Amino acid sequence: MRQAEFDGKGSCIRWTEATGAEPARVYVHGLGSASTVYNAHIAARSELAGRRTLFVDLPGHGISDRPADFGYALEDHADALAAALDEAGVTAAELVAHSMGGAVAIVLAHRRPELVSRLVLVEANLDPYPPVKAGSSGIASYTEEEYVETGGHARVLDKVGPSWAATMRLADPRALHRTAIGLARGTFPTMRHLLEELTADRVYLQGALSGELVNREELEAAGVRVVTVPGAGHNVMFDNPDVLVAEVAGKV
């Protein structure tokens, strides 16, 4: 396990790492998750052997610190991730990023393009959205006090199902809420527009069970390769790992 300070106050973002050839592959998890849980079985595949691999837990999640006075906006998470990559001596990395982590990866690639050579985005959040759902946007429908102090966190854990709850209950509730608020707010320009403007190699995986990706044609016109993954919903890495492995390996 390695760590890097991210807030100027001693708080650390942490990751586990396997040695190998450059460029490094960096796995970034979604809201309320942890990188090893969602990605270790992908990175362990023989098709991906031999590469330096980092499993990063964003602030407030997994093994990373969770300061109460941190903002947890997408930009904050991107800066923390940049601190981890700088400490690790990583440049021109391939980022494999899921859901909220995909939004963070897009912001990182926009702000620090030298750190990112390729993005493999797995159902990454591209647009702001209203607070109406059980998961990330459901969290954002609560005030911070309601979520942290009066049972909102427990109610969301009951709604999201056992798999997501298993990692979400390890995240700090205040960090989780602030991250969800930041995700619902999005960025300006939006993550979608930032993605369209990037020059790094970009692939976006959309689970077929999740429905058609909104404005797919515009993304493809901007050079983003969009892949519909058969038999998969939001968690492509569990529903159809073979396709994700092939895309990460570049063997398509």
Side-chain angles (χ1 to χ4, degrees):
M1 183 173 65
R2 298 186 61 186
Q3 64 184 36
E5 185 178 337
F6 65 82
D7 65 350
K9 301 177 182 179
S11 302
C12 289
I13 183 171
R14 296 185 176 88
W15 65 97
T16 54
E17 182 172 338
T19 59
E22 303 286 348
R25 291 194 181 107
V26 179
Y27 291 85
V28 188
H29 61 82
L31 184 76
S33 185
S35 280
T36 53
V37 175
Y38 275 64
N39 296 297
H41 67 293
I42 298 296
R45 290 276 293 261
S46 60
E47 300 96 313
L48 303 180
R51 291 282 289 277
R52 186 182 181 191
T53 304
L54 286 72
F55 301 97
V56 182
D57 285 346
L58 296 171
H61 294 73
I63 58 177
S64 291
D65 288 341
R66 46 205 70 199
D69 57 353
F70 191 62
Y72 297 98
L74 293 174
E75 295 87 351
D76 297 326
H77 282 296
D79 288 345
L81 180 55
L85 299 187
D86 287 339
E87 177 65 25
V90 168
T91 58
E94 298 182 2
L95 268 60
V96 183
H98 178 228
S99 196
M100 178 273 291
V104 172
I106 291 167
V107 174
L108 175 68
H110 175 74
R111 297 173 79 137
R112 296 285 306 276
E114 77 280 7
L115 296 180
V116 181
S117 63
R118 185 171 185 245
L119 289 172
V120 180
L121 302 172
V122 184
E123 292 224 349
N125 294 81
L126 299 180
D127 306 296
Y129 51 80
V132 295
K133 296 181 182 177
S136 52
S137 54
I139 296 171
S141 69
Y142 292 91
T143 67
E144 186 170 309
E145 181 180 2
E146 289 170 340
Y147 190 76
V148 177
E149 306 292 345
T150 62
H153 182 59
R155 287 192 289 274
V156 168
L157 288 179
D158 286 340
K159 291 179 181 178
V160 299
S163 296
W164 195 4
T167 54
M168 187 180 287
R169 66 172 178 249
L170 303 178
D172 179 74
R174 194 175 305 276
L176 199 58
H177 183 268
R178 291 181 186 173
T179 300
I181 291 290
L183 186 60
R185 184 189 307 119
T187 58
F188 184 81
T190 65
M191 299 83 79
R192 179 182 297 273
H193 288 134
L194 295 179
L195 177 61
E196 290 173 346
E197 293 171 359
L198 294 175
T199 57
D201 182 52
R202 296 150 293 163
V203 58
Y204 188 104
L205 276 65
Q206 174 79 357
L209 302 180
S210 298
E212 187 64 31
L213 179 63
V214 175
N215 294 328
R216 172 177 181 149
E217 295 80 7
E218 286 84 349
L219 287 174
E220 291 176 327
V224 180
R225 193 165 64 84
V226 179
V227 177
T228 300
V229 183
H234 187 59
N235 294 326
V236 172
M237 68 289 297
F238 297 140
D239 297 336
N240 195 335
D242 290 345
V243 171
L244 177 56
V245 168
E247 292 295 340
V248 173
K251 295 179 180 179
V252 294

